[in-house]
């Protein structure tokens, strides 16, 4: 999930480059597919570079680049793994959503993450790859762990506050 094509300290902020590299390497040994959401195109040249990489590595059947504004949560809910490889972040709501939907989640260690998030060292491709392979090879274990996490339902608290106001 990358809301746009920003850079931070000269690197792809949302880690689309890492995701493409990850898909290339994983495709050799696993039947995998990536859905990468890009809701706003802010750099047409970088977008074209991503498309060219997808084509050059023959990832058209494995890497879908979605460039439209659609609901992300139904995809997260149906996914086997959610990855957030940002090189800076505030919290990463989508990480918490993945945990809420019992989807194992791997994210960079750049900020506080939701309980149950599997962290990898920021911009460390090997660490990211190793964590993804661990989840793929031991999926049932990771799925059971994420299911056990009790996510607080803040909606009820918000509704109670609204009731007091009205």
């Amino acid at each position: 999930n990358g809301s746009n094509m920003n850079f931070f300290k000269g690197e792809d902020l949302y880690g689309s480059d890492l995701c493409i590299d990850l898909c290339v390497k994983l495709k050799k040994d696993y039947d995998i597919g990536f859905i990468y959401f890009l809701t706003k195109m802010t750099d047409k040249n970088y977008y074209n570079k991503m498309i060219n990489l997808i084509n050059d590595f023959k990832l058209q059947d494995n890497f879908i680049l979605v460039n439209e504004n659609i609901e992300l949560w139904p995809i997260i809910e149906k996914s086997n793994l959610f990855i957030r490889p940002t090189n800076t972040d505030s919290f990463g709501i989508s990480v918490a959503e993945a945990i809420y939907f019992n989807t194992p989640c791997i994210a960079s260690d750049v900020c506080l993450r939701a309980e149950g998030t599997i962290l990898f060292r920021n911009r460390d491709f090997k660490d990211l790859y190793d964590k993804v392979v661990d989840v793929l090879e031991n999926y049932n274990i990771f799925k059971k762990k994420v299911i056990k996490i009790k996510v607080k339902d803040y909606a009820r608290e918000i509704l109670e506050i609204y009731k007091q106001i009205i």
Side-chain angles (χ1 to χ4, degrees), residues 1 5 38-39 52 60 69 77 91 95 97 105 109-110 135 143 160:
N1 172 34
M5 306 180 96
L38 177 66
T39 55
N52 289 337
Q60 297 90 337
N69 195 1
E77 187 176 30
F91 176 71
V95 171
E97 288 174 331
C105 180
D109 64 355
V110 297
V135 172
K143 185 69 173 181
E160 288 302 317

Side-chain angles (χ1 to χ4, degrees), residues 17-160:
D17 58 337
L18 290 174
C19 291
I20 291 172
D21 291 344
L22 188 59
C23 189
V24 169
K25 191 164 181 177
L26 289 171
K27 181 181 171 185
K28 295 174 185 174
D29 298 313
Y30 300 93
D31 181 21
I32 55 101
F34 271 79
I35 302 173
Y36 187 91
F37 289 90
L38 177 66
T39 55
K40 190 186 326 174
M41 188 186 323
T42 54
D43 186 332
K44 183 74 170 167
N45 290 332
Y46 193 64
Y47 177 81
N48 288 334
K49 179 181 176 182
M50 288 173 56
I51 295 297
N52 289 337
L53 285 171
I54 291 166
N55 292 333
D56 291 347
F57 289 113
K58 298 180 180 14
L59 300 176
Q60 297 90 337
D61 294 334
N62 304 91
F63 198 100
I64 299 169
L65 182 59
V66 178
N67 183 16
E68 57 186 278
N69 195 1
I70 63 174
E71 289 286 343
L72 180 60
W73 69 266
I75 305 299
I76 293 174
E77 187 176 30
K78 291 177 176 66
S79 298
N80 296 101
L81 177 63
F82 183 80
I83 301 172
R84 184 153 174 97
T86 55
N87 66 13
T88 188
D89 218 334
S90 56
F91 176 71
I93 300 291
S94 56
V95 171
E97 288 174 331
I99 302 295
Y100 176 81
F101 288 119
N102 298 320
T103 301
C105 180
I106 298 174
S108 56
D109 64 355
V110 297
C111 66
L112 178 66
R113 299 290 190 183
E115 177 189 349
T117 306
I118 303 157
L119 298 176
F120 77 96
R121 289 182 300 277
N122 182 34
R123 300 295 301 172
D124 185 332
F125 178 78
K126 183 181 180 333
D127 193 35
L128 172 60
Y129 175 79
D130 291 345
K131 299 282 170 65
V132 170
V133 167
D134 190 26
V135 172
L136 294 176
E137 295 288 331
N138 301 290
Y139 186 76
N140 290 334
I141 294 169
F142 284 96
K143 185 69 173 181
K144 286 177 186 173
K145 283 182 183 179
V146 77
I147 288 171
K148 288 181 181 178
I149 296 170
K150 301 293 183 215
V151 178
K152 186 173 180 179
D153 183 0
Y154 291 100
R156 291 174 197 224
E157 287 181 24
I158 292 169
L159 286 174
E160 288 302 317

